[in-house]
Amino acid sequence: MKDVLIEVNLTKSQKVKPDSEGLAFGRYFTDHMFVMNYSSDKGWYDPKIVPYQPISLDPAAMVFHYGQTVFEGLKAYLSKSGEVLLFRPEKNMERLNLSNQRLCIPQIDGDIVISGLKKLIEIDKDWIPTAQGTSLYVRPFIIPTESFLGVAPSKHYQFIIILSPVGSYYKEGINPVKIYVEDQYVRAVAGGTGKAKTGGNYAASLKAQEEASSKGFSQVLWLDGVEKKYIEEVGSMNIFFKINGEIITPALNESILEGITRNSVIELLKHWGLTVTEKKISIEDLFEWYSEGLLEEVFGTGTAAVISPVGELNWKGKEMLINNGNTGEIAKRLYDTITGIQNGTQPDQFGWTMTIKDNEN
Ligand code: COI
């Protein structure tokens, strides 16, 4: 890893930390943030850690107009021996640069970002919650900052990392969620930006999400944007099904986000000797399997959601009650194993965790 000079300016007034118990998702932010700027003549420059603070921008800054933004999400844990553990951060860096490429944002040096992140977390280490099911969520993001109203890639950007102590993403915690299969709105199409982690994809999902939640569902399951036939992903996670003993998940395409938890789950399941198939899955087939009693488990995977069992799917008013609304065996085993690797209570056979050592900073 490169030696990067990161200026540090510590806060003079530390905030009161929330109670670790009963933390929800994304409501609290730590004392510091990492910031780095980009201009076309200097490249990425001036990486620094500063007190957490508002950003002041010109109203014409491009971030307010055309949505040229990207972000990532990863988590940090405090092990029992007091070490900070990050889960596969290099994968987030790879994906960030894929999103950058799609959104015409300059590539960023993942080593500099990881160095900055390690330093930031070390400074705000006391904010890492340790109650069961909690972690420190890391949100890196890039915004275009040039003041210009023409539709073009910005010439200036700001890269920021903020940290948030979190509990579970869904109010259901690790209990099964109810999901609405969306058959009116679509999230993304091949050739669009579905594969990138960009704000617009999430903005496009809000209307469907709002309607689904008014009907009592936690999230929507998106179908493909052309035929509304093939299953893609859920609003904040990828999706897996266990059909008659075999685990299947939609094959990646241009409109599905390549989840890092998805990738880890596939590796783990294969390591356990289970069959996992990535393929096109139609909603009609899923319903057929359900009617034949073959749909044994459904679960979502994501950084924020970790492993989230699905207890009910509703498609065009037809209800599929999965595993009697209970958490399935595979989802439970995956949840325990992945969170165990992440927080250091289970062996990391895959070399997925990165430790932040005090003397590195
Ligand atoms: C994550 O799982 O980290 C995500 O970015 C999903 C998010 C929209 C909460």
Side-chain angles (χ1 to χ4, degrees):
M1 181 140 328
K2 281 179 213 131
D3 224 0
V4 199
L5 194 67
I6 299 169
E7 191 189 308
V8 177
N9 172 10
L10 295 180
T11 184
K12 291 188 179 57
S13 55
Q14 292 189 347
K15 294 185 266 191
V16 177
K17 298 179 183 60
D19 196 343
S20 237
E21 303 289 336
L23 273 177
F25 181 83
R27 295 276 176 206
Y28 302 97
F29 304 96
T30 68
D31 285 321
H32 297 90
M33 62 195 214
F34 174 86
V35 183
M36 182 162 67
N37 292 314
Y38 176 92
S39 70
S40 23
D41 49 332
K42 293 196 214 168
W44 289 105
Y45 65 97
D46 266 3
K48 52 181 182 269
I49 290 170
V50 296
Y52 187 94
Q53 61 194 279
I55 308 167
S56 169
L57 287 174
D58 190 300
M62 293 173 93
V63 61
F64 299 124
H65 304 278
Y66 309 123
Q68 191 201 8
T69 64
V70 294
F71 70 95
E72 270 302 322
L74 63 153
K75 281 178 172 174
Y77 295 80
L78 196 63
S79 74
K80 286 215 165 71
S81 58
E83 277 178 330
V84 181
L85 302 173
L86 290 171
F87 188 70
R88 311 188 81 183
E90 66 295 341
K91 283 267 175 211
N92 293 89
M93 294 306 113
E94 270 169 35
R95 192 173 59 185
L96 180 64
N97 273 326
L98 280 176
S99 304
N100 282 343
Q101 192 180 42
R102 181 64 182 85
L103 273 290
C104 299
I105 295 173
Q107 295 287 290
I108 194 158
D109 185 332
D111 282 354
I112 298 186
V113 174
I114 292 178
S115 282
L117 173 60
K118 284 178 159 186
K119 198 166 197 133
L120 176 66
I121 299 184
E122 196 55 45
I123 290 171
D124 280 345
K125 187 172 169 182
D126 291 350
W127 282 83
I128 305 177
T130 50
Q132 174 67 27
T134 64
S135 59
L136 187 71
Y137 185 77
V138 177
R139 170 54 59 85
F141 62 102
I142 301 178
I143 52 169
T145 51
E146 186 187 357
S147 304
F148 177 49
L149 294 184
V151 179
S154 174
K155 293 194 178 63
H156 305 278
Y157 298 88
Q158 193 157 56
F159 171 79
I160 300 177
I161 307 176
I162 54 173
L163 307 174
S164 175
V166 297
S168 56
Y169 187 72
Y170 296 114
K171 69 171 176 5
E172 291 84 350
I174 54 166
N175 299 317
V177 291
K178 283 171 67 175
I179 301 228
Y180 185 77
V181 182
E182 181 54 56
D183 60 355
Q184 185 190 352
Y185 303 107
V186 299
R187 171 187 173 271
V189 290
T193 57
K195 199 179 160 185
K197 212 154 169 63
T198 180
N201 293 337
Y202 296 81
S205 75
L206 297 177
K207 186 73 184 149
Q209 171 65 39
E210 197 181 57
E211 291 183 11
S213 48
S214 72
K215 294 178 200 138
F217 296 91
S218 299
Q219 289 265 315
V220 303
L221 173 62
W222 296 105
L223 300 179
D224 77 275
V226 178
E227 298 177 79
K228 294 192 197 124
K229 178 171 178 188
Y230 295 102
I231 294 171
E232 299 231 308
E233 63 176 81
V234 178
S236 57
M237 48 190 196
N238 296 111
I239 189 101
F240 286 75
F241 306 95
K242 183 169 167 234
I243 314 286
N244 201 20
E246 183 193 347
I247 296 155
I248 60 172
T249 188
L252 295 175
N253 61 21
E254 288 297 303
S255 51
I256 296 179
L257 188 85
E258 186 169 353
I260 294 162
T261 314
R262 172 188 185 278
N263 173 285
S264 312
V265 159
I266 293 175
E267 280 199 47
L268 258 179
L269 291 170
K270 288 187 176 163
H271 178 74
W272 290 341
L274 298 166
T275 311
V276 193
T277 313
E278 298 174 65
K279 63 180 188 188
K280 268 184 136 176
I281 304 165
S282 79
I283 186 71
E284 282 105 342
D285 283 349
L286 188 75
F287 196 77
E288 194 62 37
W289 294 324
Y290 174 74
S291 314
E292 291 165 12
L294 302 176
L295 178 57
E296 294 161 350
E297 261 194 66
V298 181
F299 55 89
T301 65
T303 298
V306 197
I307 305 296
S308 182
V310 176
E312 184 186 320
L313 282 168
N314 190 299
W315 178 52
K316 296 188 171 165
K318 292 183 250 188
E319 188 182 287
M320 299 183 225
L321 183 68
I322 298 129
N323 197 24
N324 276 324
N326 298 315
T327 300
E329 235 173 79
I330 302 274
K332 169 91 178 77
R333 185 170 174 204
L334 282 169
Y335 179 86
D336 291 345
T337 310
I338 297 248
T339 54
I341 294 174
Q342 289 173 331
N343 65 28
T345 52
Q346 290 223 14
D348 174 18
Q349 290 149 298
F350 305 92
W352 283 338
T353 48
M354 187 183 276
T355 309
I356 303 183
K357 304 213 174 56
D358 293 329
N359 57 10
E360 265 180 34
N361 292 295

